[in-house]
Amino acid sequence: TCSGIVPMRYRNDKISITDFGGVGDGRTLNTKAFRAAIYRIQHLRRRGGTLLYVPPGVYLTESFNLTSHMTLYLARGAVIKATQDTWNWPLIAPLPSYGRGREHPGGRYMSFIHGDGLRDVVITGENGTIDGEGAIWWNMWRQRTLQFTRPNLVEFVNSRGIIISNVIFRNSPFWNIHPVYCSNVVIRYVTILAPPDSPNTDGIDPDSSSNVCIEDSFISTGDDLVAVKSGWDEYGIAYGRPSSCITIRRVTGTSPFSGIAVGSETSGGVENVLAENIVLYNTGIGVNVKTNIGRGGFIKNITVSEVFMENVRTGIKIAGDTGDHPDNNFNPNALPYVKGVTFKNIWGVKVQRAGSIQGLKNAPFTGICLSKVNLHGSPPWKCSDVSGAAIEVSPWPCAELTSPQQ
């Protein structure tokens, strides 16, 4: 386990949302209660921090900000549910590494539960639920009536010492859990659920963050289960903050898109990613490393091992032509650098297509190594502009991956 990178804090000071007028009847709006409780934690500053207890019940609320040195604790049967009122949802500035909202130019809606510049925050409990009530946002996306980028369910920005564990996340409007510009983040024992046709409901997206540990979780969503990112085209290149030291271990799930993904927004660079003991079923692409011209940045030292996949459209895909651009100002000569990607001990059943590794003509992908990869009964690999090695791979991959000496 890598969960020891953030120590679990014991909070002597405990308060309940009901102390601040919280009502868990599913109808009463609890925004004032949450904001008042967190204001108290922020300003009283009890030694060792404070635990905010949410008892069983359904607590309807607008979005709210967390503060440092607090634990948000959801009892069994507790639900924090997002209001359906999108009209006065707060807007915040775009992330500098994206230059604009991910879906629309300009600002973006604040995440349902938000933290900026925080230290020592825990979201945990007895498998209570944080419900984003995302259907209203998905429909706005489908009908093209969105004015700004949809809110994430939980986002931490410029924060460190974060633990998210033993909570169920449901129906996020957009990405579920998004640590961006963060360090020392542990996400474990979580369940993330959204319908397979829900747009862009990525499970966990570590973004320009370091020392992130994702373990022992189940994710079933409408987009990538885990996607490591680091900024978008010229904005990500200028911001220049990579994602590094990301560990993904013992994750099970299903998605019409990718199980484990790197990219496609990787302009700040991604390095030192380990994904192991992954179980994927009914998934579009098992493991997907994706970038594009204009991205720049680098993807290096990625290791994926001990993966079982069943009923998957494509087992392994590495591609240099994936993802869109924020605007037309990207530099077509900003080519990504992809080197040192290892896949080992991967077993697939009912895989329609074994794999595809397609680099860029002017920036071939190098050091792509496959070892003990068995993707049963699938047609041959497709490769171009790639070099590396293959040992004990079935079906046998492309000629570009030949010499084990490499």
Side-chain angles (χ1 to χ4, degrees):
T1 181
C2 50
S3 61
I5 61 170
V6 183
M8 179 64 91
R9 304 281 185 190
Y10 181 79
R11 315 282 191 200
N12 282 309
D13 187 42
K14 298 181 180 67
I15 57 176
S16 171
I17 194 65
T18 56
D19 302 339
F20 298 84
V23 179
D25 61 1
R27 296 186 304 277
T28 304
L29 197 62
N30 290 279
T31 312
K32 284 182 181 172
F34 277 104
R35 290 179 182 169
I38 290 162
Y39 182 88
R40 184 264 195 202
I41 295 169
Q42 186 177 5
H43 290 274
L44 272 185
R45 294 185 181 171
R46 290 292 164 86
R47 185 186 177 95
T50 297
L51 182 145
L52 174 57
Y53 178 76
V54 182
V58 179
Y59 296 84
L60 190 68
T61 175
E62 298 170 319
S63 62
F64 58 91
N65 284 287
L66 301 178
T67 188
S68 293
H69 310 296
M70 75 167 284
T71 295
L72 178 63
Y73 189 99
L74 285 80
R76 186 175 301 281
V79 180
I80 301 176
K81 182 175 274 195
T83 173
Q84 295 279 284
D85 178 12
T86 62
W87 292 103
N88 61 350
W89 201 284
L91 285 169
I92 56 174
L95 293 164
S97 59
Y98 284 76
R100 46 162 276 186
R102 187 60 187 80
E103 298 185 287
H104 284 280
R108 59 202 186 101
Y109 292 107
M110 185 176 104
S111 62
F112 177 46
I113 297 179
H114 199 76
D116 195 341
L118 304 186
R119 305 286 178 270
D120 176 28
V121 180
V122 181
I123 299 175
T124 190
E126 303 156 55
N127 289 322
T129 299
I130 296 173
D131 188 341
E133 286 283 300
I136 191 167
W137 297 97
W138 308 334
N139 287 333
M140 287 162 67
W141 179 86
R142 291 179 186 120
Q143 292 158 12
R144 301 188 177 180
T145 56
L146 277 169
Q147 292 182 293
F148 301 97
T149 296
R150 286 172 282 159
N152 301 310
L153 194 54
V154 175
E155 181 177 77
F156 285 97
V157 186
N158 288 313
S159 299
R160 64 180 164 86
I162 308 296
I163 297 176
I164 301 174
S165 77
N166 301 86
V167 174
I168 299 166
F169 298 88
R170 276 188 185 275
N171 298 329
S172 175
F174 194 54
W175 301 345
N176 275 269
I177 301 175
H178 185 219
V180 57
Y181 319 143
C182 289
S183 64
N184 293 43
V185 178
V186 171
I187 303 166
R188 66 192 304 222
Y189 304 132
V190 299
T191 302
I192 302 176
L193 303 171
D197 64 345
S198 56
N200 311 103
T201 50
D202 295 30
I204 304 170
D205 286 2
D207 197 340
S208 292
S209 292
S210 59
N211 296 326
V212 179
C213 174
I214 300 164
E215 291 184 332
D216 301 294
S217 295
F218 177 83
I219 308 173
S220 173
T221 59
D223 211 319
D224 299 347
L225 304 184
V226 179
V228 183
K229 302 176 180 289
S230 69
W232 204 11
D233 286 8
E234 66 270 26
Y235 305 105
I237 294 169
Y239 196 74
R241 178 152 177 183
S243 275
S244 65
C245 301
I246 314 286
T247 303
I248 306 154
R249 189 183 277 125
R250 294 182 301 275
V251 168
T252 297
T254 174
S255 161
F257 286 88
S258 305
I260 303 298
V262 174
S264 73
E265 306 89 338
T266 55
S267 300
V270 175
E271 63 185 340
N272 302 332
V273 176
L274 170 65
E276 64 182 10
N277 299 108
I278 309 295
V279 177
L280 305 169
Y281 61 95
N282 302 346
T283 295
I285 301 168
V287 185
N288 193 4
V289 178
K290 44 186 174 171
T291 184
N292 207 336
I293 62 164
R295 289 286 193 268
F298 56 83
I299 298 173
K300 60 185 183 182
N301 195 16
I302 313 294
T303 301
V304 182
S305 72
E306 318 303 327
V307 179
F308 175 79
M309 56 181 84
E310 181 174 6
N311 197 22
V312 171
R313 201 168 60 246
T314 301
I316 292 170
K317 185 174 183 182
I318 307 177
D321 62 352
T322 308
D324 49 357
H325 302 286
D327 49 43
N328 292 325
N329 298 325
F330 70 91
N331 176 5
N333 296 317
L335 300 179
Y337 161 79
V338 179
K339 180 180 183 180
V341 181
T342 300
F343 296 102
K344 59 185 181 183
N345 298 332
I346 296 178
W347 190 269
V349 177
K350 297 183 192 166
V351 178
Q352 290 178 30
R353 182 175 167 191
S356 165
I357 308 176
Q358 300 194 293
L360 294 164
K361 194 173 286 301
N362 296 321
F365 297 170
T366 61
I368 310 300
C369 297
L370 309 178
S371 168
K372 297 184 178 174
V373 175
N374 198 320
L375 301 170
H376 279 86
S378 18
W381 292 68
K382 265 193 176 175
C383 298
S384 62
D385 302 300
V386 56
S387 65
I391 306 167
E392 294 182 48
V393 177
S394 172
W396 186 248
C398 34
E400 290 88 343
L401 304 181
T402 49
S403 164
Q405 283 76 33
Q406 292 179 46

